[in-house]
Amino acid sequence: MHSFWVDLFVAIIKISVILGIALGIGAFLTWVERKVAAHIQRRPGPMVVGWHGLLQPLADGVKLLTKEDLFPRYGDKFLYHLAIILALVPATLVFSVVPFGPEFEIFGYKVKPILSDVNVGLLLVFALGSMAVYAVALAGWASNSKYPLIASMRKAGVLVSYEVVITFAVMGPIILAGTLSTYEIVEKQVEQKLWYIWLQPIAFVVYMFAALAEMGRVPFDVQEAEAELVTGFTVEYGGMKFGLFPLVEWYIEGLTLSAIAVVLFFGGWSPINIPFVGFVDPLFFLGPLSPFVWFILKTTALFLFILWLHWTLPRYRIDQITQSAWKIMLPLTLFNIVITAVLAPIVWR
Amino acid sequence: MGKLIIFGFFSLMAILSGIGIITLKNPVYVIVALLSSLIAVAGIFFTAGAELVGALQLLIYAVAIAIFYIIVISAVPWQKAKKSETHHRFEGLISLPVVLLLYIEMIVVFLLGVKASPEGEIAKLIEKIGNAEVIGAILFSKYFLAFEVVSLVLLVGMIGAVLIGRKESQTYEDDTT
């Protein structure tokens, strides 16, 4: 009975830390994004509210919260609100299988910095990630308006295509690691002294394409397409209800997909890797904190890479997006799976 | 104790959404109820310790299959797709014996399955090599033939769908030149 309460206590602490990260940093990332975008376009970005506009997210939040709450005539109120929840909850749940660092001991009690280390963690990531389709489809339908409906159909098509691609793309690392648990995949990479990106460059490129499509980033942000569809399926949403959609799509999903990419291809919390030789840790002076710092550093780097792409590239048309998914990406991933399945036993067994 | 509460919660949710599926009028609500019941069943799998089946339930049923219903139905004006009062009542009555037969078959298959696999054997295997591995091992050894036949059926279905959905190329001849 004693250990049950301890477990519950630890779980609650983990949940609050994860929620704090997901929602707190998620909001703060709007500022990061605007700053990065501004500097890419050679302008200062938000400067007025706080030092270099640091308090801008707070001001934006207050603005969004105090806006008038509009609702489209003949819309479906229940589904309209359900869509918001369906967008937020699955995206946040993905964090529950992201391993932030190696197991450590505190007061003689072993803690894994992962909320639930299920042995099918990776499948859960993609199952929950695909749940985003419902939010999109329902938001478009319940708004009772043409633009959101068209945009939601487009976005649903993109999501469904790339969900298939991303699931096949991660097969390569899964074959190499021989497990579906995110925690064990990282452990395997540490054990084999190998980041999987060295053996799986194709899978990584395809994964990044699919990740961009899933979070609706340029070059795959057809669902937004301001010129044709106003702002996509969120046209009829106002105030904070509108604010939640980009928060979830761009920042929370952006963070989770970057974190999963780090877990799969960059060895999670391990320091810089020299293939088959070992790890070099320039941050050794941080001691037991260094794995966590590495994980955060790598995730941030990937996230900034996504921002860089977003503010540099133009946009694809919808047919080009789905064609590239089915005709280029999917055959590439299948090829990659076959090669990996042939090579993996030769290398390790 | 905690497990029992969670199991009760998920089964209650599954039953309630099941009732919702057959009683709700608006087709989009029906799909949402279906989705909720599928997720509840996945939750039951998770409480039973069958993580792989639960995840597959989420991935295949709750996402891959139900999403096509919602895409199709949300493209149809829902006043047209609404179930009317008297529609299909007679057909429903006729289908009752068939449904009963299907249930009896399910029970028979279940009992046969329980008899066929000795109690505790698979549970021991799961403890030894893990969930996903057990399903892989059983699928690709004992039930290999059935597995391959099923994949053949799926292939046939896919070819049929492609043939039906194919555009006739001669209808769209380019006559602008």
Side-chain angles (χ1 to χ4, degrees):
Chain A
M1 206 59 202
H2 174 69
S3 87
F4 170 75
W5 290 111
V6 175
D7 282 342
L8 193 71
F9 180 66
V10 171
I12 287 173
I13 287 181
K14 281 178 185 171
I15 290 171
S16 34
V17 167
I18 286 171
L19 275 185
I21 290 174
L23 302 175
I25 297 196
F28 179 69
L29 283 176
T30 57
W31 175 79
V32 173
E33 164 138 28
R34 290 174 70 178
K35 271 301 193 195
V36 170
H39 285 289
I40 285 174
Q41 298 163 349
R42 305 197 73 184
R43 55 190 173 83
M47 287 297 266
V48 180
V49 193
W51 183 78
H52 278 255
L54 250 181
L55 296 177
Q56 189 68 45
L58 213 68
D60 284 344
V62 170
K63 187 200 93 176
L64 284 175
L65 281 174
T66 49
K67 267 192 163 179
E68 188 190 354
D69 188 21
L70 290 172
F71 182 73
R73 196 191 295 175
Y74 305 128
D76 193 311
K77 207 150 207 167
F78 174 68
L79 292 179
Y80 180 88
H81 290 116
L82 187 71
I84 304 171
I85 299 169
L86 273 180
L88 183 65
V89 172
T92 326
L93 268 180
V94 174
F95 271 110
S96 65
V97 290
V98 173
F100 293 92
E103 198 171 39
F104 60 88
E105 228 181 84
I106 186 161
F107 304 124
Y109 185 81
K110 277 188 180 138
V111 180
K112 266 187 190 175
I114 173 172
L115 183 54
S116 68
D117 182 20
V118 283
N119 58 18
V120 290
L122 217 49
L123 277 183
L124 271 187
V125 170
F126 297 114
L128 293 170
S130 332
M131 287 278 171
V133 192
Y134 288 106
V136 174
L138 288 180
W141 189 83
S143 296
N144 190 36
S145 164
K146 287 187 189 69
Y147 293 124
L149 190 63
I150 296 171
S152 73
M153 287 291 145
R154 281 183 176 190
K155 174 82 185 178
V158 171
L159 277 177
V160 169
S161 321
Y162 276 95
E163 199 56 49
V164 176
V165 171
I166 206 170
T167 318
F168 275 105
V170 299
M171 285 299 161
I174 291 174
I175 292 173
L176 290 181
T179 170
L180 283 168
S181 146
T182 43
Y183 189 83
E184 279 171 34
I185 285 175
V186 178
E187 274 188 333
K188 272 275 154 69
Q189 292 183 57
V190 174
E191 207 177 282
Q192 293 168 352
K193 298 196 177 89
L194 182 72
W195 285 2
Y196 286 152
I197 184 161
W198 306 127
L199 288 188
Q200 298 286 330
I202 302 175
F204 177 66
V205 171
V206 174
Y207 179 94
M208 284 313 283
F209 267 84
L212 286 175
E214 293 222 347
M215 44 184 127
R217 286 281 187 183
V218 173
F220 300 113
D221 66 336
V222 270
Q223 91 280 0
E224 191 162 316
E226 304 95 313
E228 311 144 34
L229 290 174
V230 203
T231 57
F233 62 90
T234 51
V235 184
E236 304 290 351
Y237 285 79
M240 202 59 210
K241 288 176 192 164
F242 163 73
L244 270 176
F245 279 104
L247 177 75
V248 167
E249 273 207 324
W250 285 13
Y251 304 117
I252 297 183
E253 276 186 27
L255 275 184
T256 49
L257 285 172
S258 312
I260 294 296
V262 167
V263 165
L264 283 173
F265 297 102
F266 292 98
W269 58 77
S270 62
I272 297 168
N273 169 247
I274 302 162
F276 297 112
V277 178
F279 295 96
V280 182
D281 192 355
L283 292 178
F284 61 90
F285 52 85
L286 288 174
L289 270 183
S290 120
F292 296 94
V293 175
W294 274 113
F295 186 79
I296 293 165
L297 271 183
K298 282 188 243 180
T299 313
T300 319
L302 259 185
F303 187 78
L304 288 177
F305 176 67
I306 290 166
L307 284 193
W308 176 30
L309 289 182
H310 184 105
W311 293 98
T312 319
L313 296 174
R315 175 184 299 139
Y316 278 134
R317 273 201 329 262
I318 176 76
D319 59 323
Q320 290 168 329
I321 294 175
T322 40
Q323 262 180 23
S324 71
W326 293 106
K327 292 188 178 167
I328 302 171
M329 301 290 166
L330 197 60
L332 262 181
T333 51
L334 289 176
F335 172 75
N336 184 51
I337 291 172
V338 172
I339 294 288
T340 316
V342 171
L343 284 186
I346 297 172
V347 177
W348 281 291
R349 275 150 237 162
Chain B
M1 185 63 200
K3 221 173 182 175
L4 203 68
I5 293 171
I6 296 168
F7 173 75
F9 170 73
F10 278 126
S11 10
L12 196 71
M13 196 171 125
I15 291 167
L16 284 182
S17 12
I19 293 170
I21 294 171
I22 42 179
T23 52
L24 287 170
K25 291 260 159 55
N26 186 333
V28 175
Y29 279 80
V30 172
I31 300 298
V32 173
L34 175 68
L35 177 66
S36 114
S37 85
L38 288 173
I39 292 174
V41 172
I44 293 175
F45 282 135
F46 277 115
T47 38
E51 285 119 346
L52 183 70
V53 185
L56 289 181
Q57 165 90 9
L58 275 183
L59 196 62
I60 295 172
Y61 287 96
V63 175
I65 292 178
I67 190 60
F68 284 105
Y69 291 134
I70 215 163
I71 288 177
V72 170
I73 283 175
S74 60
V76 175
W78 70 271
Q79 288 89 345
K80 278 186 193 166
K82 212 172 176 179
K83 288 186 224 161
S84 64
E85 291 298 318
T86 53
H87 219 186
H88 299 317
R89 197 160 277 176
F90 180 63
E91 287 89 336
L93 211 65
I94 296 176
S95 65
L96 198 66
V98 184
V99 172
L100 270 179
L101 212 70
L102 276 176
Y103 269 100
I104 291 169
E105 191 199 340
M106 254 154 70
I107 292 168
V108 168
V109 168
F110 175 74
L111 289 178
L112 282 179
V114 168
K115 228 179 192 177
S117 75
E119 207 176 327
E121 191 188 85
I122 288 178
K124 249 186 253 159
L125 246 142
I126 289 176
E127 240 162 60
K128 214 164 75 187
I129 55 177
N131 231 315
E133 285 88 343
V134 165
I135 288 187
I138 294 174
L139 262 190
F140 284 97
S141 59
K142 197 172 173 187
Y143 298 107
F144 188 60
L145 184 69
F147 182 66
E148 288 299 310
V149 169
V150 166
S151 66
L152 201 68
V153 171
L154 284 179
L155 183 69
V156 170
M158 199 173 75
I159 292 173
V162 169
L163 269 181
I164 292 170
R166 187 177 59 123
K167 283 178 192 159
E168 295 297 334
S169 53
Q170 55 264 37
T171 332
Y172 294 95
E173 251 171 34
D174 184 20
D175 51 14
T176 49
T177 47

